[in-house]
Amino acid sequence: MKPLSILLVEDEVLIRADMREMLEKAGHIVCAECGNGEQAVRLVKENVPNLVIMDIMMPGISGLEVAQCMYSLNIPVVMVTAHSQPQMLQRAESVHVYGYVVKPVSEKNLIAAVQIAYARWKDMYSTHQELDKTKENLKNQKLISQARSIIQDRLGISAGEAHKRLLQESMQRQTTPGQIAQRIIEKIKK
């Protein structure tokens, strides 16, 4: 696994120092560290880490609230906590946490949680990217189909010839067929 840039958020300084040592020993880079949620939000925007390791119970904004913020910024979170009650686990699930380590933290458990969490996040990110690309392709195909019908009706030509003209216009203007289709549809709506 490649070294990750990690933001470490833990209000207990000794635990934070131990985790930093474990992570650095495993080859990861602790790009920043802090002891509360407000600082975590600021530091994540400044450092853009690959992953955040965070305690649930902290002064100020709780780790769960910060985890929700990290999810909106598309940064995976591993929670570290002394709490293993089912309701706490459910709350962590609801804010899209990718890993959960119960204190006391062992090096093996922490490194395994980091590796699994980051791999799961990468898979999820890739799936979202593919989904977005598929949605965009479907949108463009719909636009092209509508524009082709408009050209076909206006010029009294076949669907194949209308599609050919749309592609020619796209090449002449050095833009995508979807953008040409969008322009044709917008002109008709006016």
Side-chain angles (χ1 to χ4, degrees):
M1 174 179 203
K2 73 174 184 126
L4 298 177
S5 170
I6 298 173
L7 171 62
L8 190 52
V9 186
E10 166 64 60
D11 60 327
E12 295 183 42
V13 177
L14 292 176
I15 292 174
R16 192 167 70 215
D18 285 345
M19 285 194 296
R20 177 194 251 301
E21 185 178 320
M22 292 175 202
L23 293 165
E24 288 176 345
K25 183 179 174 188
H28 299 298
I29 300 159
V30 177
C31 64
E33 58 183 82
C34 64
N36 66 59
E38 289 90 0
Q39 284 180 309
V41 172
R42 181 179 51 78
L43 288 172
V44 82
K45 290 177 182 177
E46 289 174 8
N47 295 283
V48 192
N50 298 118
L51 183 115
V52 174
I53 298 175
M54 181 171 16
D55 190 5
I56 285 183
M57 300 299 191
M58 292 185 297
I61 302 173
S62 79
L64 292 170
E65 291 173 280
V66 176
Q68 185 66 46
C69 177
M70 298 303 148
Y71 179 74
S72 69
L73 295 170
N74 199 25
I75 297 175
V77 172
V78 172
M79 300 304 300
V80 178
T81 182
H83 305 280
S84 61
Q85 298 91 344
Q87 70 268 18
M88 194 61 78
L89 286 167
Q90 288 173 338
R91 290 182 60 204
E93 283 178 12
S94 73
V95 295
H96 310 283
V97 168
Y98 284 85
Y100 198 91
V101 179
V102 178
K103 293 177 184 176
V105 177
S106 75
E107 186 174 341
K108 283 193 281 187
N109 288 344
L110 181 63
I111 301 309
V114 165
Q115 186 171 346
I116 295 298
Y118 190 71
R120 290 183 71 207
W121 173 82
K122 274 182 21 182
D123 287 344
M124 186 65 68
Y125 181 75
S126 176
T127 301
H128 282 291
Q129 294 289 83
E130 288 176 31
L131 181 60
D132 290 344
K133 186 176 179 181
T134 300
K135 285 179 182 178
E136 185 67 26
N137 286 339
L138 288 172
K139 177 185 164 197
N140 282 332
Q141 289 302 318
K142 184 178 176 183
L143 290 172
I144 290 168
S145 179
Q146 289 174 338
R148 185 177 54 233
S149 292
I150 292 167
I151 295 168
Q152 187 179 357
D153 291 345
R154 291 277 166 111
L155 301 178
I157 57 177
S158 70
E161 182 61 29
H163 190 75
K164 182 179 171 184
R165 288 189 183 201
L166 190 116
L167 293 177
Q168 287 172 339
E169 182 73 16
S170 169
M171 286 188 276
Q172 285 176 347
R173 295 189 184 263
Q174 297 180 350
T175 187
T176 66
Q179 291 171 328
I180 294 298
Q182 181 70 42
R183 290 179 192 155
I184 290 169
I185 293 166
E186 287 173 358
K187 283 183 183 178
I188 296 299
K189 288 181 179 180
K190 289 183 181 179

